[in-house]
Amino acid sequence: MATERGFRFPAQSQEKQPGKEYVMHPLPQFIIPHYKPSNKLHGKVALVTGGDSGIGRAVAYLFTIEGATVAFTYVKGQEDEDKDHILNILKEIKPKGAKDPIAIHTDVGFEENCEKVVDRVMSEYGKIDILINNAAEQIFTPTIQDITQHRLERVFRTNIFSHFFMSRYALQHMKEGSCIINTTSVAAYAGNAELLDYSSTKGAIVSFTRSLALNLVGRGIRVNAVAPGPVWTPLQPASLPAQRIAQLGSETAMDRAGQPFEIAPSFLFLACNDSSSFITGQVLHPNGGMIVNA
């Protein structure tokens, strides 16, 4: 099984980003086995960027069975099939009282697009209680000479500009008790010699999380982050050489990569005021035992 120590995925790759979940082998696991929901997010509205696949999909699923109404973003064309699949599942599992989920196609790296996404969510649901800044891209980079100005801007736009823009507009509608959760990475702490620009954006997300948490503490809005280790998501085969996929997770103490369902509960913990009302400006580390001293 993919959650057994020493498990390795077969070598595989995809031609471009964003990656497609439905063509991965084996498929990522986004449903927690034997999970018993307890209505932790009843009545809440959550916006998840990059919610069609990977960690975002697992978060959207878990939030929905815990009572939240979920909106998520995706990239039109490349992610249509993954979007349709999870959107239909969310509609089937949504609890009584929750509204139908919506999927919004956009490029989150641009301010005007983030504003339109927030406006759409407000038009549909009238509020935003939880913002999950999760969308990201990474590109395998053997040397710094491979990073052009255009590429650097592209990665920073998707991975950190989007956090600023989405938070800026969502916060116009968020009230006391709301929260923002950002997806960073173990690469922000351990570094990654072959993901230079990606790792840099993830470090920026940590600083953004800590600073925005201090900025918003007077409003009663918490800001935290989750820093996963290697996880089996479409980002991996869409950005790493096939031989790297065959080694994914070998650097962890558990000697395997994580599955998206193993990461989503960290987001749920931080989203639930009953669990984390005294936590802000912090980062959770579901990373298979990689010691980061942070």
Side-chain angles (χ1 to χ4, degrees), residues 147-157 197 200-201:
I147 304 176
T148 64
Q149 177 177 318
H150 173 75
R151 196 188 107 179
L152 186 66
E153 181 177 344
R154 176 67 247 174
V155 173
F156 268 74
R157 278 196 172 279
D197 41 4
S200 298
T201 64

Side-chain angles (χ1 to χ4, degrees), residues 44 129 174-179 218-221 273:
K44 302 292 186 181
D129 301 297
M174 299 178 89
K175 300 178 180 179
E176 182 176 356
S178 299
C179 68
R219 289 180 54 182
I221 297 174
N273 284 320

